[in-house]
């Protein structure tokens, strides 16, 4: 049941109870007043007639007094009057004997015909002697009829008041409570859906009107806060993308320095073969072979440069599709081949393409590149960087949403210097680095952590100083291939 219906029902029931009680008490008062009026009328008439009878009795005798009483009875249509020498049967004889002359004694009882009537007895005394009683008898039919009229009028008035009160309760409850509450509820639903437009218009100078004003003001503040958050979010996203791009360019610089030798050898081959062809030192058959060698070298250099450009290109993180994680890891390691030679490191890759990941290829390769480069730097004397890709059943950390599920895990292990226990909690913080000045920006792991988190995964780290580190990159698993 809604609030307006509850209030209306409570008000109507309460009003009905009050009006019913008032009507009942009013009927009782009216009936009591009617009875008292009739008794008083009997007493006045009886006192007057008794006094007149006593006067006539003394002056003209008993016969004239009784004749006057009979004449009085003949003239009265509603009240019957008669003379009694003794108290009638069924009356309170003791009370009548004790009553003084002219005092009226009234009670309800049957007459000689058995009908209920109002009976009044007035003692008559002449010269100090009790001579008899004057009886006044009146039917109760007229009084009962009047009582029914009183009850009917009271009931009708009560019912009309009940209906009017109910109608007013419904109308006022709907208009003053139901309508504004419904408008406020609709506004609350729209706010919950993110729609802050359209103020709620409750023109009432009461608590509901005040609530509407505050709700409109709250929506205005929410709109301003939403715009501010959107602006700050856009600025943060732009800054984050700049940091990622800066980290990527840093990696590209390292790759470029490492592949300089890779490009130098093909260039020397191209230059030497082209010079021999240009100087006519090669036979036609040799010239054709030299041309083929030049084409192969050019293709190799083009592939290397294309990889660098693709890796360095600024990405938006929106081009996600189902990819083979093993293939992406191998492509990233191919780009790091030159750096690995320089660092005297080798790669050991294990894994099977039995699952896919829905990722942005460039961003995932950036993550793998950062983690593998750190692993090579952690082994100053060189060594093997082990990379394993496979399925894993894991539960995310407390700060990550979701429960235990199947993930694709890219595990990178090295046998390097490891990470100190006090530094381990800070390795994903921006600009935090344990490397010497000029050897690292402190952005690589921070950017990698953000990319993985945006893809619905996380990075776990196990490390022991002097024994190496293991980085596990967890990504949601796609469909099996």
């Amino acid at each position: 049941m809604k609030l307006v219906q509850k209030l209306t029902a409570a008000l109507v029931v309460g009003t009905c109870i009050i009006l019913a009680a008032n009507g009942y008490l009013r009927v009782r008062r009216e009936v009591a007043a009617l009875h008292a009026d009739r008794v008083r009328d009997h007493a006045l008439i009886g006192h007057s007639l008794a006094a007149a009878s006593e006067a006539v009795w003394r002056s003209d005798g008993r016969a004239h007094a009784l004749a006057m009483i009979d004449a009085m009875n003949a003239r009265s249509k509603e009240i019957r009057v008669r003379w009694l020498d003794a108290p009638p049967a069924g009356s309170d004889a003791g009370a009548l004997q004790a009553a003084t002359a002219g005092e009226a004694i009234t009670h309800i009882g049957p007459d000689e015909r058995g009908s209920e009537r109002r009976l009044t007895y007035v003692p008559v005394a002449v010269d100090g002697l009790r001579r008899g009683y004057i009886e006044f008898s009146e039917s109760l039919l007229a009084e009962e009829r009047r009582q029914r009229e009183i009850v009917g009028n009271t009931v009708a008035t009560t019912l009309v008041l009940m209906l009017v009160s109910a109608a007013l309760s419904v109308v006022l409850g709907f208009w003053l409570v139901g309508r504004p509450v419904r408008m406020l509820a609709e506004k609350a639903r729209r706010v919950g859906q993110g729609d802050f437009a359209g103020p709620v218009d409750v023109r009432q100078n009461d608590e509901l009107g005040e609530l509407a004003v505050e709700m409109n003001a709250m929506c205005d503040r929410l709109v301003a806060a939403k715009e501010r958050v959107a602006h700050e979010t856009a600025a943060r996203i732009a800054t984050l993308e700049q940091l990622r791009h800066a980290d990527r360019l840093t990696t590209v610089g390292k790759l470029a320095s490492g592949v300089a030798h890779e490009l130098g050898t093909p260039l020397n081959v191209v230059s030497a073969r082209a010079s021999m062809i240009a100087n006519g030192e090669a036979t036609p058959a040799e010239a054709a072979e030299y041309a083929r060698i030049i084409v192969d070298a050019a293709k190799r250099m083009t592939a290397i440069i294309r990889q660098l450009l693709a890796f360095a290109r600024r990405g938006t993180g929106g081009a996600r599709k189902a990819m083979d994680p093993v293939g992406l890891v191998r492509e990233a390691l191919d780009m790091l081949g030159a750096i690995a030679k320089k660092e005297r490191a080798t790669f050991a890759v294990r894994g099977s393409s039995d699952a896919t990941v829905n990722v942005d290829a460039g961003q995932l390769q950036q993550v793998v590149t950062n983690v593998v480069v750190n692993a090579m730097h952690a082994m100053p004397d060189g060594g093997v960087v082990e990379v394993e890709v496979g399925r894993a059943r894991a539960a995310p950390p407390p700060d990550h949403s979701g429960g235990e599920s199947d993930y694709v895990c890219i595990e990178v292990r090295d046998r390097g210097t490891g990470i100190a226990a006090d530094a381990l909690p800070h390795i994903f913080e921006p600009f935090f680095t344990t490397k010497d000045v000029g050897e690292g920006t402190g952005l690589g792991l921070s950017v990698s952590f953000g990319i993985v988190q945006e893809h619905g995964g996380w990075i776990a780290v196990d490390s022991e100083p002097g024994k190496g580190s293991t980085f596990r990159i967890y990504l949601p698993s796609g469909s099996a291939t």
Side-chain angles (χ1 to χ4, degrees), residues 43-265:
L44 290 174
I45 295 172
H47 180 72
S48 300
L49 185 57
S53 299
E54 291 175 4
V56 172
W57 190 302
R58 280 193 296 269
S59 63
D60 299 330
R62 180 176 184 274
H64 285 82
L66 296 181
M68 184 188 66
I69 293 174
D70 292 337
M72 180 68 181
N73 180 60
R75 289 194 299 269
S76 177
K77 296 181 179 180
E78 296 182 358
I79 302 177
R80 293 189 307 185
V81 183
R82 67 173 179 166
W83 173 263
L84 297 176
D85 292 325
S91 63
D92 190 351
L96 289 177
Q97 291 293 339
T100 60
E103 181 182 355
I105 303 297
T106 302
H107 71 276
I108 304 297
D111 59 5
E112 65 278 4
R113 299 175 183 175
S115 300
E116 290 290 329
R117 302 178 69 86
R118 178 176 286 105
L119 303 172
T120 301
Y121 300 93
V122 180
V124 176
V126 179
D127 299 331
L129 297 176
R130 181 71 58 85
R131 304 294 182 177
Y133 303 89
I134 301 175
E135 179 190 70
F136 298 89
S137 175
E138 182 182 14
S139 175
L140 297 179
L141 294 178
E143 184 175 340
E144 292 175 352
R145 185 167 56 251
R146 176 58 182 161
Q147 290 178 3
R148 287 193 295 271
E149 291 177 358
I150 293 173
V151 172
N153 292 336
T154 302
V155 171
T157 302
T158 302
L159 290 177
V160 170
L161 289 176
M162 287 179 179
L163 293 176
V164 171
S165 299
L168 287 176
S169 300
V170 172
V171 173
L172 294 179
F174 171 78
W175 184 257
L176 296 179
V177 180
R179 184 183 62 89
V181 167
R182 187 174 61 255
M183 295 172 65
L184 291 170
E186 177 61 27
K187 178 64 175 178
R189 279 192 291 270
R190 287 191 282 115
V191 170
Q193 295 171 357
D195 179 13
F196 305 119
V200 58
D201 187 14
V202 179
R203 300 180 181 179
Q204 295 180 197
N205 189 21
D206 54 17
E207 290 82 355
L208 293 176
E210 184 178 355
L211 178 59
V213 172
E214 292 299 325
M215 182 173 287
N216 291 332
M218 177 193 70
C219 289
D220 293 338
R221 291 191 294 268
L222 288 175
V223 169
K226 183 179 180 181
E227 293 176 352
R228 184 170 62 254
V229 169
H231 177 74
E232 294 176 355
T233 301
R236 290 178 181 177
I237 291 175
T239 302
L240 180 61
E241 187 57 37
Q242 290 175 359
L243 290 176
R244 291 179 180 176
H245 190 58
D247 175 69
R248 186 172 294 191
L249 291 179
T250 300
T251 305
V252 169
K254 296 177 182 179
L255 293 174
S257 64
V259 301
H261 177 71
E262 296 291 330
L263 292 175
T265 299

Side-chain angles (χ1 to χ4, degrees), residues 397-409:
D399 59 346
H400 189 281
S401 61
E404 183 176 340
S405 182
D406 290 327
Y407 293 88
V408 171
C409 177

Side-chain angles (χ1 to χ4, degrees), residues 219-343:
C219 289
D220 293 338
R221 291 191 294 268
L222 288 175
V223 169
K226 183 179 180 181
E227 293 176 352
R228 184 170 62 254
V229 169
H231 177 74
E232 294 176 355
T233 301
R236 290 178 181 177
I237 291 175
T239 302
L240 180 61
E241 187 57 37
Q242 290 175 359
L243 290 176
R244 291 179 180 176
H245 190 58
D247 175 69
R248 186 172 294 191
L249 291 179
T250 300
T251 305
V252 169
K254 296 177 182 179
L255 293 174
S257 64
V259 301
H261 177 71
E262 296 291 330
L263 292 175
T265 299
L267 284 173
N268 290 333
V269 171
V270 170
S271 177
R273 297 299 190 274
S275 296
M276 293 176 67
I277 294 173
N279 295 332
E281 298 177 2
T283 65
E286 290 176 338
E289 178 64 19
Y290 292 164
R292 185 188 60 78
I293 294 174
I294 291 173
V295 170
D296 291 341
K299 288 181 178 179
R300 176 170 175 76
M301 289 186 292
T302 300
I304 293 174
I305 293 173
R306 185 179 293 115
Q307 281 184 318
L308 290 176
L309 291 176
F311 188 80
R313 187 179 300 116
R314 182 191 299 269
T316 61
R320 296 185 186 180
K321 58 182 180 179
M323 305 289 291
D324 174 19
V326 178
L328 292 176
V329 169
R330 292 187 183 278
E331 290 179 8
L333 295 180
D334 287 343
M335 288 189 296
L336 296 174
I339 297 180
K341 291 180 182 179
K342 182 179 179 181
E343 298 290 339

